[in-house]
Amino acid sequence: MLFKQQALLRQKLFVLGSLAIGSLLYLVARVGSLDRLQPLCPIDGRFGPRGQDEIPLRALQFKRGLLHEFRKGNATKEQIRLHNLVQQLPKAIIIGVRKGGTRALLEMLNLHPAVVKASQEIHFFDNDENYAKGIEWYRKKMPFSYPHQITIEKSPAYFITEEVPERIYKMNSSIKLLIIVREPTTRAISDYTQVLEGKERKNKTYYKFEKLAIDPNTCEVNTKYKAVRTSIYTKHLERWLKYFPIEQFHIVDGDRLITEPLPELQLVEKFLNLPPRISQYNLYFNATRGFYCLRFNIVFNKCLAGSKGRIHPEVDTSVITKLRKFFHPFNQKFYQITGRTFNW
């Protein structure tokens, strides 16, 4: 009887030991896979020689964790000083276009360890009341970051607001400017759909898209309708070119960012002089949402808000044809100015 009990005890100890060793081997393998999937490389190129200006592991931890607390105002001045954190003016701004994919672009660029995003639209340059508060007010709206990281903000109203180009130029004449565009008619309908949803939430009625986009008196495209005006990209860009050379702009294909985001993000990395860090590992397609979601690491994933990807109402095909014909010459000029051609 004693012999059987000892044998059973040895068997239990063997099983427990095997489980412990197996768990240890799994953790070692998982850590190795994390290093392969999400290499913590030095930020080189414009950030200095390799080894001098590395962003250590704790920088990424702060970016995803403690930096969030700092943005909420929960950090002391001593903590900020110890970690060498600063609130920097943006070195790049996503200036538009509304309903072009500005939020998706900002969130995807935030995958890069050298990029820190302003979570909210600041509306500093397009809002007279905010602009009157001064540049230090604007700076304090920026997230905490490390000195070698780039702060990026997005406010799509900047692109179409007349005063903005000059105001941004006065802040930083060499700033990088990102414009994300979609096929103009699709963008206009998306713009309308967002407004329509807001009206419906308040139990208010709203005109059909066709009635807003087409002037009932002339039966021509209604250029006074804001959704139409916003889609005339070249008119707005020409105003910006009075202050900035075309080399300081990068045009992002918003339609392609939805279906094939990585090549577009790689082009932006190059434009911002960032070392390539965003990979296919960071992007995975969510079939339920119909969009690509973001993978920061093995633990932290993020999808865009449910308000993205609203279903557009059906629009009369003759109106769509009329709008596309109207936008065509403006599109051709936009291609010529930017050097980027789309199938619009």
Side-chain angles (χ1 to χ4, degrees):
M1 184 68 177
L2 180 62
F3 176 76
K4 287 183 178 179
Q5 289 177 341
Q6 289 176 338
L8 183 60
L9 179 61
R10 283 196 298 270
Q11 186 176 8
K12 287 182 178 179
L13 290 173
F14 176 77
V15 171
L16 289 173
S18 299
L19 288 172
I21 293 172
S23 299
L24 181 60
L25 290 173
Y26 171 80
L27 288 173
V28 171
R30 176 55 59 91
V31 170
S33 68
L34 281 176
D35 288 339
R36 290 193 298 274
L37 291 172
Q38 193 79 349
L40 299 174
C41 302
I43 302 301
D44 45 30
R46 71 189 296 277
F47 299 99
R50 181 175 291 274
Q52 290 184 4
D53 293 318
E54 295 184 6
I55 293 181
L57 174 61
R58 70 173 185 273
L60 299 182
Q61 291 172 334
F62 285 138
K63 184 178 179 188
R64 308 305 176 198
L66 292 182
L67 282 180
H68 177 67
E69 294 300 314
F70 292 174
R71 282 196 294 270
K72 293 193 298 184
N74 295 341
T76 65
K77 290 182 178 179
E78 182 64 15
Q79 286 175 313
I80 293 169
R81 186 188 66 79
L82 285 174
H83 297 301
N84 197 28
L85 295 169
V86 291
Q87 287 174 293
Q88 304 183 75
L89 290 173
K91 293 185 174 70
I93 300 178
I94 301 172
I95 59 174
V97 175
R98 172 182 161 91
K99 305 313 299 174
T102 56
R103 172 56 60 184
L105 177 60
L106 183 68
E107 296 292 344
M108 289 177 178
L109 289 178
N110 194 49
L111 289 164
H112 199 292
V115 170
V116 179
K117 68 178 176 72
S119 296
Q120 303 297 322
E121 293 179 9
I122 309 300
H123 289 286
F124 177 63
F125 297 103
D126 66 310
N127 183 300
D128 292 341
E129 185 177 340
N130 287 343
Y131 189 68
K133 296 175 182 177
I135 202 71
E136 282 307 306
W137 178 88
Y138 181 54
R139 186 196 302 272
K140 289 177 182 178
K141 292 292 182 180
M142 296 299 132
F144 286 98
S145 62
Y146 289 91
H148 295 303
Q149 291 176 313
I150 289 179
T151 297
I152 297 180
E153 78 124 322
K154 75 101 174 174
S155 293
Y158 288 169
F159 185 58
I160 63 170
T161 305
E162 290 188 11
E163 299 83 2
V164 171
E166 182 179 6
R167 289 174 175 180
I168 292 181
Y169 180 84
K170 287 178 178 178
M171 179 191 73
N172 181 358
S173 61
S174 61
I175 197 165
K176 304 271 189 175
L177 301 166
L178 294 161
I179 306 172
I180 179 166
V181 293
R182 297 189 67 193
E183 190 277 316
T185 301
T186 302
R187 193 222 64 82
I189 296 172
S190 180
D191 197 327
Y192 166 83
T193 304
Q194 177 170 297
V195 176
L196 175 65
E197 185 181 273
K199 297 284 187 182
E200 289 176 342
R201 280 201 305 267
K202 298 176 183 178
N203 293 318
K204 293 183 178 180
T205 58
Y206 197 48
Y207 295 108
K208 292 187 67 175
F209 176 79
E210 292 88 339
K211 189 168 184 177
L212 294 169
I214 303 299
D215 187 326
N217 297 319
T218 64
C219 292
E220 298 299 328
V221 173
N222 180 14
T223 55
K224 294 181 180 179
Y225 178 38
K226 187 176 180 180
V228 169
R229 289 203 316 273
T230 300
S231 286
I232 308 175
Y233 304 140
T234 185
K235 290 291 187 182
H236 306 293
L237 181 58
E238 285 172 344
R239 185 171 58 251
W240 283 85
L241 291 173
K242 294 177 182 178
Y243 295 92
F244 300 96
I246 194 63
E247 292 77 21
Q248 281 176 234
F249 296 87
H250 178 72
I251 309 301
V252 179
D253 185 342
D255 294 309
R256 192 184 184 202
L257 192 74
I258 295 171
T259 60
E260 196 179 0
L262 184 58
E264 287 299 315
L265 295 173
Q266 290 172 334
L267 289 173
V268 177
E269 283 180 324
K270 186 176 181 181
F271 172 70
L272 296 177
N273 296 320
L274 293 171
R277 292 292 181 269
I278 302 174
S279 69
Q280 196 61 58
Y281 167 76
N282 299 118
L283 303 158
Y284 67 95
F285 188 76
N286 185 315
T288 303
R289 301 291 298 279
F291 281 88
Y292 277 86
C293 293
L294 316 180
R295 180 186 291 117
F296 290 88
N297 51 48
I298 202 70
V299 175
F300 183 47
N301 298 342
K302 181 177 183 178
C303 289
L304 296 178
S307 60
K308 305 302 177 184
R310 297 178 181 89
I311 297 174
H312 292 181
E314 288 189 16
V315 176
D316 189 298
T317 55
S318 65
V319 171
I320 291 176
T321 301
K322 187 182 285 287
L323 282 168
R324 287 179 174 166
K325 184 178 180 180
F326 168 80
F327 287 126
H328 181 75
F330 297 111
N331 295 340
Q332 295 301 311
K333 192 170 184 180
F334 186 71
Y335 303 159
Q336 185 180 8
I337 293 172
T338 62
R340 183 152 197 191
T341 303
F342 301 94
N343 297 319
W344 299 340

